[in-house]
Amino acid sequence: MDRLDGPSAEPVADRIWPTSLTQVPYWAFQDEEILRAELGRLFHGPYWSYLCLEAELAEPGDFCATFIGEQPVLVTRDTDGQIYAFENRCAHRGALIAMAEHGNAKDFTCVYHAWTYNLQGDLTAVAFEDGIGGAGGMPAGFCRERHGPRKLRIAVLNGLVFGSLSNEVPPLEEYLGEEIVDRIDRLLGGRTPVVLGRFTQELPNNWKLYVENVKDSYHASILHLFFTTFGINKLSQRGGIIVSEDGAHHVSYSAIDRSAATSVEVTDSDYRDQNIRSDSEYRLRDPSMLDGFSEVGDDTTLQILSVFPGFVLQQIQNSVAVRQILPVGVDRTRLNWTYLGFTDDTEEQRLVRLKQSNLVGPAGYVSMEDGCIGGFVQRGIAGAGDEFATLQMGGSEAVSSSSRVTEASVRGFWKAYRTGMGFTLEDA
């Protein structure tokens, strides 16, 4: 059953959005009506949302329970080898169809009234459909084919499974654009991922504040002292950002000259001269945690890629992971991490990945600060709903750049966001 008739869009609040991409009103992070509109227009609208890894559906009957926005979704692999996705919602009275996050099943039976669905989301059985002893049961004209959860559109790219609740979304590769597709292929192309571990954390802030943080190449080596202390990432290194034409997606990347890593750490005065913390007394008890290898045969050691509205693919050294950003309230966000290795990793490479998984996640040496900085902003703007954030670093446009000292990719997010939300634009 397929009832994707277009986005289930809530009306947008009567709000005016600044014409300039350098201003973002703080009420965008505070308004419950805005959140309801986002869920309808963005997460249920003509956009692709990350669901899971194809590697998590290796065998027929494998399934993942995930979300698009706040909507529970089941993703399955049927016996025909194809991947399917449908709402994790019984068509009878709305209960969850599956409770486990991952598993293998021949079909799904709702615990409430035992309505049963196959791996494609079709209703196949209704308990006591004919009643008992000629009494009760469903009406004579009841048709199972007309009852079932909504089915999603599915697209798979380099082992990443995306879904959409809209028939209006363009094909995935067109949606992403050539440069973003190439950067996904750089990291995942020709390789089969293996799940090394998972984390879920709750963030005390609006989901868009975390998306801003992901796209903000300017903050990384300022906020994250670990980056500069151990010479992993500085704005003075080779790198740049890629912003898709519509602003929606981005890549931030940097490369290191492995032979000169130590000298860069010692001689780089760009941070010290501006009184920016760039070193500390902390040292690693096991320095081998930072010993790595060329991930795909180049010198890029950091690549952060985002897909609108809420997906991240990361390479930090040899820590490869995907992140799923899910709104759960105006000031609450769920962040799901999945850490990856690859089937052709050597034992030594697998050990490197496991050690470097400590760089990221809820308590990661690098990303620990990202888990709290959004909360600092959420608290800081509590009485400033009519004020604006300013995004002037690196100019006023949302374009690719050879410099990472810019907020261009953050501006790109807001460019795509305000288009999707349909705000009226006026000069502030």
Side-chain angles (χ1 to χ4, degrees):
M1 182 170 190
D2 190 347
R3 297 198 303 274
L4 299 187
D5 298 324
S8 173
E10 298 287 339
V12 178
D14 185 19
R15 299 279 196 173
I16 304 300
W17 195 274
T19 301
S20 172
L21 292 174
T22 64
Q23 289 186 302
V24 177
Y26 286 134
W27 52 253
F29 306 107
Q30 301 170 324
D31 194 316
E32 181 71 32
E33 188 175 354
I34 293 296
L35 176 62
R36 304 317 305 174
E38 291 168 350
L39 292 169
R41 290 178 174 268
L42 305 183
F43 289 92
H44 287 199
Y47 301 93
W48 288 105
S49 290
Y50 170 78
L51 299 179
C52 66
L53 295 165
E54 191 174 17
E56 297 177 280
L57 306 170
E59 302 295 332
D62 285 351
F63 70 87
C64 292
T66 183
F67 292 85
I68 287 186
E70 64 178 2
Q71 173 64 56
V73 170
L74 273 177
V75 192
T76 68
R77 188 180 294 276
D78 201 357
T79 54
D80 62 1
Q82 299 300 306
I83 294 175
Y84 298 88
F86 48 93
E87 290 177 297
N88 188 1
R89 174 187 61 82
C90 182
H92 179 213
R93 300 273 287 278
L96 292 171
I97 296 171
M99 303 293 183
E101 292 184 356
H102 300 87
N104 186 279
K106 294 182 179 179
D107 52 29
F108 301 98
T109 299
C110 177
V111 297
Y112 200 177
H113 298 95
W115 284 36
T116 299
Y117 303 85
N118 64 20
L119 293 169
Q120 298 185 26
D122 301 319
L123 178 63
T124 57
V126 173
F128 302 114
E129 183 175 355
D130 298 325
I132 297 178
M138 301 299 286
F142 177 75
C143 178
R144 295 180 194 165
E145 288 76 14
R146 295 181 181 176
H147 296 269
R150 286 182 296 177
K151 296 182 179 180
L152 279 65
R153 288 185 60 185
I154 289 292
V156 180
L157 177 65
N158 289 125
L160 304 172
V161 181
F162 289 84
S164 179
L165 283 160
S166 171
N167 276 327
E168 299 174 8
V169 65
L172 180 59
E173 294 196 12
E174 177 184 333
Y175 176 80
L176 296 173
E178 183 177 353
E179 288 184 299
I180 304 299
V181 170
D182 286 347
R183 282 287 173 161
I184 293 175
D185 187 69
R186 170 195 167 270
L187 192 56
L188 300 180
R191 305 204 283 180
T192 302
V194 175
V195 175
L196 300 183
R198 300 182 179 90
F199 282 108
T200 294
Q201 67 183 119
E202 296 283 335
L203 304 176
N205 52 263
N206 188 277
W207 69 277
K208 299 186 295 298
L209 287 173
Y210 187 77
V211 174
E212 276 197 329
N213 179 272
V214 167
K215 290 176 173 286
D216 180 1
S217 56
Y218 170 43
H219 87 279
S221 61
I222 301 174
L223 176 65
H224 303 306
L225 185 58
F226 193 93
F227 267 158
T228 47
T229 295
F230 297 102
I232 296 175
N233 181 33
K234 293 185 179 182
L235 289 170
S236 51
Q237 292 173 345
R238 290 188 294 118
I241 63 167
I242 299 168
V243 182
S244 64
E245 185 175 350
D246 59 1
H249 325 299
H250 104 290
V251 180
S252 174
Y253 63 94
S254 64
I256 190 170
D257 182 346
R258 299 177 187 277
S259 64
T262 303
S263 62
V264 169
E265 182 179 354
V266 171
T267 62
D268 190 348
S269 62
D270 292 339
Y271 290 76
R272 185 176 59 253
D273 291 349
Q274 298 184 69
N275 200 29
I276 297 173
R277 59 177 194 155
S278 60
D279 199 357
S280 73
E281 72 277 13
Y282 297 110
R283 294 296 178 263
L284 293 171
R285 179 169 293 180
D286 179 10
S288 71
M289 191 184 79
L290 297 180
D291 293 341
F293 54 92
S294 179
E295 185 63 48
V296 292
D298 59 22
D299 287 327
T300 296
T301 53
L302 183 142
Q303 176 180 292
I304 305 296
L305 180 152
S306 70
V307 174
F308 189 91
F311 169 73
V312 182
L313 171 65
Q314 72 159 57
Q315 174 207 344
I316 301 176
Q317 301 291 92
N318 299 117
S319 174
V320 180
V322 295
R323 311 177 204 168
Q324 182 187 37
I325 305 167
L326 298 170
V328 294
V330 169
D331 58 358
R332 287 290 182 272
T333 299
R334 180 179 299 117
L335 180 59
N336 294 327
W337 301 75
T338 305
Y339 298 83
L340 305 181
F342 299 93
T343 54
D344 58 357
D345 284 345
T346 65
E347 289 186 16
E348 292 77 11
Q349 289 172 332
R350 184 63 51 84
L351 180 59
V352 168
R353 296 194 194 283
L354 291 172
K355 284 184 177 182
Q356 292 186 2
S357 68
N358 291 287
L359 295 175
V360 292
Y365 293 137
V366 172
S367 62
M368 178 169 51
E369 296 93 341
D370 290 332
C372 63
I373 196 66
F376 294 167
V377 176
Q378 195 77 45
R379 290 157 57 188
I381 65 175
D386 293 331
E387 299 296 325
F388 299 85
T390 183
L391 300 172
Q392 299 183 62
M393 184 60 68
S396 61
E397 296 181 317
V399 294
S400 300
S401 169
S402 59
S403 171
R404 289 175 295 135
V405 189
T406 179
E407 292 165 317
S409 45
V410 185
R411 291 190 289 268
F413 170 77
W414 292 111
K415 177 182 177 181
Y417 174 86
R418 70 187 192 183
T419 299
M421 293 291 286
F423 288 117
T424 299
L425 304 182
E426 288 187 7
D427 292 332

